[in-house]
Amino acid sequence: LAGSLVLMELPDAAKGKLRILVPERPGFGQSTPAADYSFERVTQDLDAFAAQLKLKSIALLGDGTGGAYALHAALNAETPVRALALRAPRLVPPRAKTGGTFESAMSAMVRQPWLVKSVIDIVRRGAEVPLLRAMADRWIYNSASDKVRMQGEKSMKAFQAQMADALEVSSAGVAAEMKLFQRLPRWDVAALKCPVAMWAGAENTVVQVKETAALMAEAHDAKIRIVPDVGIVFPREVWDEIVAWLA
């Protein structure tokens, strides 16, 4: 969920070789919400962002939900994309309905736009550590490895910073994104003209890992790594590997 207010620390190997820029999606962080929230709109914003900075080319890192925007941009942006890295990207819909409490609540929220905004506003106003830890343990960090990595205060503060950044101005961006991801496009990854690399945790219960890996394998120049003993929370050395690949 995070945008420009959450800084990503570069590993030593990438310093002087890579500059990280974080454009916000409409309605996230400090950005103005957009009535026409779509993958196309976000790609247009990325092109405008790159043009303002006079960037001749870019490498894209799509993290989690951001993977879909990065893939769309790599396929459609006017700005030349020289490399695409994806970390646990959400690119395919769930394989089947589980009927669980969380899924039922999410389905109800998507069907009722007013409910989406109301629930997220409640989270926004009450996003304190006990609530966030309960959310993380119940819905997000389902793997045993993730729960061990999230025990530290530093990890929970990072999660809190992401939530606070996403809801800095309003809940409009998160609400619009929830609805957008109910109708994911059929990606033509074979049309990618740049190298692509994907990392995903073997214990990830949020992303369809096998289906996503099979999809990305259709690219002409693809590196796919399924990391053992990882769900969503990656060890620092894997992040270093991702950044080094981009650099």
Side-chain angles (χ1 to χ4, degrees):
L1 293 176
S4 65
L5 300 184
V6 178
L7 300 180
M8 180 177 177
E9 182 182 345
L10 277 174
D12 291 338
K15 290 179 180 177
K17 299 179 181 178
L18 193 67
R19 179 186 179 193
I20 292 184
L21 303 171
V22 189
E24 290 176 335
R25 305 189 294 283
F28 283 77
Q30 298 179 326
S31 296
T32 305
D36 59 335
Y37 192 94
S38 63
F39 291 115
E40 291 78 9
R41 168 60 188 269
V42 174
T43 295
Q44 291 168 3
D45 286 349
L46 178 64
D47 277 328
F49 181 82
Q52 282 188 345
L53 295 177
K54 297 181 173 59
L55 302 178
K56 294 180 180 179
S57 68
I58 55 175
L60 295 175
L61 168 59
D63 181 28
T65 302
Y69 301 99
L71 176 56
H72 187 278
L75 288 166
N76 299 282
E78 295 180 2
T79 308
V81 177
R82 63 178 182 270
L84 170 65
L86 302 172
R87 203 280 314 188
R90 284 185 59 196
L91 302 176
V92 298
R95 64 176 65 94
K97 291 187 176 296
T98 63
T101 304
F102 179 58
E103 182 174 318
S104 299
M106 291 290 284
S107 298
M109 289 170 66
V110 170
R111 289 195 303 270
Q112 302 291 338
W114 64 269
L115 185 58
V116 175
K117 186 178 186 305
S118 298
V119 171
I120 294 177
D121 279 339
I122 291 172
V123 174
R124 180 171 178 250
R125 290 194 298 269
E128 299 298 331
V129 170
L131 172 61
L132 291 174
R133 186 171 292 281
M135 290 171 59
D137 289 345
R138 175 65 180 87
W139 294 325
I140 302 174
Y141 305 114
N142 288 323
S143 84
S145 301
D146 281 358
K147 289 184 177 181
V148 170
R149 293 189 183 96
M150 287 300 293
Q151 289 305 308
E153 183 180 355
K154 183 178 180 180
S155 297
M156 187 52 59
K157 283 185 175 179
F159 177 57
Q160 185 179 25
Q162 292 180 16
M163 290 292 292
D165 183 25
L167 303 169
E168 175 73 15
V169 174
S170 75
S171 60
V174 179
E177 183 168 275
M178 286 174 60
K179 288 181 282 186
L180 177 63
F181 272 73
Q182 297 300 304
R183 50 183 191 279
L184 285 167
R186 294 185 178 181
W187 308 102
D188 182 15
V189 298
L192 283 170
K193 297 179 181 179
C194 65
V196 59
M198 182 190 110
W199 289 259
E203 296 180 4
N204 192 319
T205 59
V206 177
V207 172
Q208 308 301 316
V209 176
K210 291 182 179 179
E211 291 88 338
T212 305
L215 171 67
M216 296 313 302
E218 296 174 10
H220 299 300
D221 185 356
K223 167 188 174 179
I224 298 171
R225 183 181 173 200
I226 308 302
V227 186
D229 301 320
V230 168
I232 294 176
V233 187
F234 276 41
R236 179 67 203 215
E237 57 267 23
V238 179
W239 277 111
D240 290 353
E241 180 184 328
I242 294 171
V243 176
W245 183 85
L246 281 171

